[in-house]
Amino acid sequence: MPSLPMSPLMGQMMSQPLLISNILEFAARHYGASEIVSRRVEGDMHRYTYRECHQRARRLANALHGLGVRMGDRVATLAWNGYRHLEAYYAVSGSGAVLHTINPRLHPEQVAYIMNHAEDQYLLLDLTFLPVAEAIAAHCKTTKGFILMCDRARMPAESKIPNLLCYEDLINSHSDDYSWPQFDENAAATLCYTSGTTGNPKGALYSHRSTVLHAYGSAMPNALNVSSRDTVMPVVPMFHVNAWGLPYSVPLSGAKLVFPGAALDGKSVYELFENEGVTFSAGVPTVWLGLINYAKQNNLKFSTFRRTVIGGSACPPAMMNTLIDDFGVEVVHAWGMTEMSPLGTTCTLMSKHLELDRDGQRKILQKQGHAVYGVDMKIVDDDGKELPWDGVGYGHLLVRGPWIIAKYYKEEGGDVLQDGWFPTGDVATIDPDGYMQITDRSKDVIKSGGEWIGTIDLENIAMAHPAVLQAACIGVAHPKWDERPLLVVVLRPGQQVSREELLLFFDGKIAKWWLPDDVVFTDALPVGGTGKIQKNKLRDQYKEHKLPTI
Ligand code: ADP
């Protein structure tokens, strides 16, 4: 960053750095009795308050200091959503070290790769992940110790890891007499790796400043709209871009927090919603699929669940309609990415939209939404020329702002910005009111005869068919057109539809040349570590598929 000019007259407000520790300190002091409830991997429920969380986070900060962890050192976690993970969030970053949340669904080799790349000093892990840690421990060159997040009674009698420490012992043997250090808000706070569908994963290194600003911005009414009257359950994992910032935005709002642990099936999520009075939740579409199916099959309604944020991949309109029309749950479609902390846009209506009928409103709500203050965006053509916001013309989506990446950790990939903007790799339209709609990821877009076919539209139409549970559209090589769309479909249990019937269902809904050339039916689609369909795997699987149009 070039240094900025100084004004001869500077503002005279306190210059308190924006630090993550201050969020928990605030929650403990001003909403001290608000609850944090966790379903533990041990099988039982755990409940305590922000006040107690703050106390234990300070004990952990002392413990980490005792283990030799210093400012800037990386400390990793391999854990579900739970109170101990939250304590680590605050103790590690709050003490000036860097929290590296690892996606446990990655292949163990990849976990070892990113731990070495990050040079993690310690790994805090849930009981569930002991086998992963045992498999990689010998390969983690910089890791001095592994801390199992359980009490003494649950420690294994023996383990392949020689330096296995007990979390509760550590906490209990340290006092909560700890003052959070004050330091430059631009210091590194947390580290997340992209999923690395192509090549090795790259690290996004967030700062205290970027994290606190993101927490402020994402809590606003047009965004996640979190308040002290809410009970919030982040279903999105704390290892998936810091659970979209909820471990920060919820405490600063004073809301009750509910953590689902490892139980993310429809029944477990439903029961926790009901038992704890969850009003608001957030997750990727695949999670809601399980919950909706469970509620429908058992003829259940939600008593308190009123609002959900769905993002990470496009929310199928059929899913949105079910949640709103059948269950009375407001759906906020959101878009973002690891490199954006992750929030970029959220879709809520403006007052002028309230006059529109149901379908008119739904058309808007299905878009990925409006920029949250803190994020600026634009679409450009292949030459980098900005395109108009007409809601029709699509181009490469670029973003900038104080919680958007400037470079990857260890400068992997070199200079990633284009004239100060970050290229998202998504293709989108923006309408005159500033609502953005993703057409596709640029690597998923189908190039047919020099034109682009967006796969999200095709998938959404297929999923609106009552017999279709999931659909993914990929490009398959075609001698004349380069690529043509192939639709891969998973049917709902007990439902049938033929290839011809499904293709007829597209009639009048898209331009004729967008119509998939073929449909294949399969039992399941490959899903990656963050719950998204892995189109690269599908492309591999069907690369020899012979289209009937050839
Ligand atoms: P990865 O998928 O590689 O783990 P991210 O979780 O950061 O990485 O994913 C970011 C990407 O996910 C975006 O660039 C976009 O392509 C896609 N995405 C996120 N939210 C949405 C959404 N609401 N609609 C469509 N695509 C989305």
Side-chain angles (χ1 to χ4, degrees), residues 195 240 311-314 333-338 368 424 426 441 530 532:
S195 58
H240 187 197
S313 48
H333 197 188
W335 165 86
M337 58 198 308
T338 306
Q368 276 69 12
T424 64
D426 286 329
R441 273 187 158 188
T530 52
K532 304 186 196 195

Side-chain angles (χ1 to χ4, degrees), residues 77-80 102-108 111 129 132 237 239 529:
T77 60
L78 207 49
W80 299 107
I102 302 175
N103 186 340
R105 295 181 186 131
L106 293 177
H107 190 277
V111 174
F129 303 120
V132 181
F239 55 76

Side-chain angles (χ1 to χ4, degrees), residues 271-294:
E271 285 171 0
L272 203 49
F273 274 17
E274 290 300 302
N275 293 344
E276 296 302 330
V278 170
T279 58
F280 169 58
S281 188
V284 295
T286 38
V287 170
W288 302 126
L289 211 57
L291 179 67
I292 292 170
N293 282 348
Y294 175 76

Side-chain angles (χ1 to χ4, degrees), residues 238-301:
M238 287 164 82
F239 55 76
H240 187 197
V241 214
N242 297 333
W244 302 349
L246 289 167
Y248 309 110
S249 55
V250 177
L252 71 74
S253 313
K256 174 177 164 182
L257 248 178
V258 180
F259 287 126
L264 300 176
D265 60 286
K267 179 172 188 283
S268 308
V269 170
Y270 179 83
E271 285 171 0
L272 203 49
F273 274 17
E274 290 300 302
N275 293 344
E276 296 302 330
V278 170
T279 58
F280 169 58
S281 188
V284 295
T286 38
V287 170
W288 302 126
L289 211 57
L291 179 67
I292 292 170
N293 282 348
Y294 175 76
K296 280 203 155 168
Q297 277 157 12
N298 296 283
N299 221 355
L300 299 166
K301 294 277 178 222

Side-chain angles (χ1 to χ4, degrees), residues 394-426:
Y394 47 83
H396 305 284
L397 181 62
L398 272 59
V399 290
R400 65 177 176 192
W403 60 72
I404 290 163
I405 200 164
K407 53 186 157 200
Y408 287 102
Y409 181 50
K410 296 188 171 171
E411 312 226 1
E412 210 102 334
D415 187 7
V416 288
L417 300 191
Q418 290 177 8
D419 292 333
W421 292 77
F422 176 74
T424 64
D426 286 329

Side-chain angles (χ1 to χ4, degrees), residues 219 347 426 433:
C347 201
D426 286 329
D433 289 322

